[in-house]
Amino acid sequence: MGGHGEKPKANVQTDTESLFETLRRWRAEGKPAALATVVSTWGSSPRPEGSHLAVDEAGHFVGSVSGGCIEGAVIEAATQVMASGCPQLLEFGVSDEQAWQVGLACGGRVQVFVEPVE
Amino acid sequence: MKAATLARIAQAQQKREALVVVTRLADGAQCVFDAAGSGGGLVLAPEQAAEAAALFASGRSTSLSGPETLFARAYVPSPRLLIIGAVHIAQALAPMAAAAGFEVVVIDPRGAFASAERFPGVELCDEWPDEALARLGLDGATALVALSHDPKLDDPALELALPSQVFYIGALGSRRTHEKRLGRLRDAGLGDKVGRIHSPIGLDLGGRSPAEIAVAILAEVIQVRYRGEAG
């Protein structure tokens, strides 16, 4: 009977695998990884505080910190964080030059904390 | 994030335990709060620790007060739907509930019903309901629906669910079937609890097909989850 069986070894998050299980698997496979977390929001940001995005060295990611508009910039920062080992606090908003470039058009502002995963 | 913290979060999610991780954004130092207390490199002031501990109940993630920016991330169990009876309505309900963010388990010891062909991608459990529920646990983030139409399966599940913390209990069946069921449960000593059972199950949407009834059941489960029992 299915259900309690082993999980597939695909390089994506399976339906039943949590983001943290994915992170543990990446680390067990020796891949550097970083975790991004929405730590504050103002206005109409699409994802609430606490939302996570996990990124591996090759830029594979699971989870989301926005409707998709800032993920690219967060993944880029995550790559730097993996290399330096130092966390970063990112801020995106409509009045922000970078946010225009990455397209945070929803009118909100969001702070994202990116930390390396040991 | 330290490897131990990562392991702790994954373990808590698997065991359906609540956990709060507090991070100092200036340097990434962290501490972990669980039911047993706190641990980790970051030491909090007593009032901040109390704020973090209060997040267990609300499940909210938020910044704590104080001069430093401390972000508290609450991890609480995701909602879960336990379905007794691998019947036609369950075939429609299981994927709908999964799409709505529920962990779904279909429990039915009858192999012909609980087959992977009938339930692709759904977690199936072929134990008897009383064994399955004892193993899975009945916590406050869990809803239980008895759909089998068979008292041998539905009754033991209801007997365990009624005194438990589950936030929703529903049972399929006609008024007459339900009256008989209530009689059996009263005989089992659960007379003061049987009012918890939603029957007829689901919101009154007027639908008749298995999928339409599944929508009505899922809608009622979601309504009770957010609004509580209408009373």
Side-chain angles (χ1 to χ4, degrees):
Chain A
M1 196 61 46
H4 313 299
E6 57 292 332
K7 299 196 166 78
K9 282 275 179 201
N11 195 18
V12 290
Q13 186 184 25
T14 65
D15 284 349
T16 54
E17 186 180 74
S18 83
L19 178 141
F20 288 94
E21 288 169 337
T22 305
L23 266 178
R24 287 188 79 187
R25 182 162 50 76
W26 284 345
R27 296 301 297 122
E29 290 167 1
K31 294 175 184 164
L35 177 67
T37 309
V38 175
V39 293
S40 51
T41 62
W42 301 263
S44 60
S45 12
R47 300 286 286 131
E49 291 182 6
S51 301
H52 285 311
L53 177 80
V55 187
D56 81 356
E57 187 183 28
H60 296 114
F61 66 97
V62 295
S64 67
V65 287
S66 76
C69 34
I70 61 169
E71 264 71 5
V74 172
I75 290 164
E76 199 178 305
T79 309
Q80 294 168 15
V81 165
M82 280 177 238
S84 70
C86 298
Q88 289 186 20
L89 186 60
L90 313 174
E91 189 168 329
F92 302 94
V94 284
S95 59
D96 187 312
E97 179 89 0
Q98 188 188 18
W100 277 115
Q101 283 169 14
V102 299
L104 187 65
C106 46
R109 260 201 313 150
V110 59
Q111 263 189 338
V112 179
F113 183 70
V114 187
E115 63 190 303
V117 178
E118 279 184 9
Chain B
M1 178 173 284
K2 293 190 184 303
T5 307
L6 180 60
R8 188 72 192 82
I9 297 169
Q11 182 193 34
Q13 290 184 332
Q14 201 188 7
K15 291 183 162 178
R16 299 181 62 77
E17 293 169 351
L19 196 70
V20 175
V21 176
V22 179
T23 305
R24 182 164 61 198
L25 299 190
D27 61 1
Q30 286 175 327
C31 62
V32 178
F33 285 78
D34 61 18
S38 66
L42 178 64
V43 179
L44 300 185
E47 60 270 24
Q48 292 168 338
E51 279 180 48
L55 298 175
F56 279 117
S58 71
R60 278 187 59 237
S61 295
T62 185
S63 294
L64 303 181
S65 60
E68 297 179 312
T69 309
L70 298 168
F71 182 72
R73 174 63 163 91
Y75 299 95
V76 293
S78 49
R80 183 170 60 167
L81 179 66
L82 305 179
I83 302 174
I84 308 298
V87 296
H88 202 170
I89 293 171
Q91 286 179 282
L93 178 57
M96 286 181 192
F102 286 77
E103 287 177 25
V104 179
V105 185
V106 175
I107 300 162
D108 197 322
R110 303 169 297 180
F113 284 80
S115 71
E117 293 74 43
R118 282 165 50 81
F119 289 89
V122 175
E123 180 171 346
L124 297 169
C125 172
D126 61 358
E127 293 164 281
W128 284 86
D130 48 350
E131 294 165 2
L133 298 183
R135 181 175 58 78
L136 293 165
L138 293 168
D139 56 45
T142 296
L144 180 133
V145 295
L147 307 182
S148 81
H149 273 122
D150 183 341
K152 288 200 300 299
L153 298 180
D154 287 349
D155 283 12
L158 293 170
E159 285 174 26
L160 284 175
L162 282 171
S164 78
Q165 297 287 311
V166 297
F167 73 87
Y168 175 94
I169 303 171
L172 192 69
S174 68
R175 243 165 256 282
R176 215 162 62 93
T177 305
H178 190 55
E179 276 309 314
K180 287 188 195 164
R181 174 160 50 216
L182 291 180
R184 293 192 303 273
L185 292 170
R186 286 195 191 98
D187 291 346
L190 293 161
D192 59 330
K193 301 275 199 315
V194 292
R196 292 189 67 193
I197 302 174
H198 288 263
S199 188
I201 193 172
L203 298 184
D204 184 9
L205 303 181
R208 308 286 289 180
S209 75
E212 289 170 343
I213 294 167
V215 169
I217 294 171
L218 183 58
E220 188 171 62
V221 171
I222 291 170
Q223 184 183 55
V224 172
R225 177 162 184 244
Y226 288 103
R227 298 268 166 82
E229 299 288 357

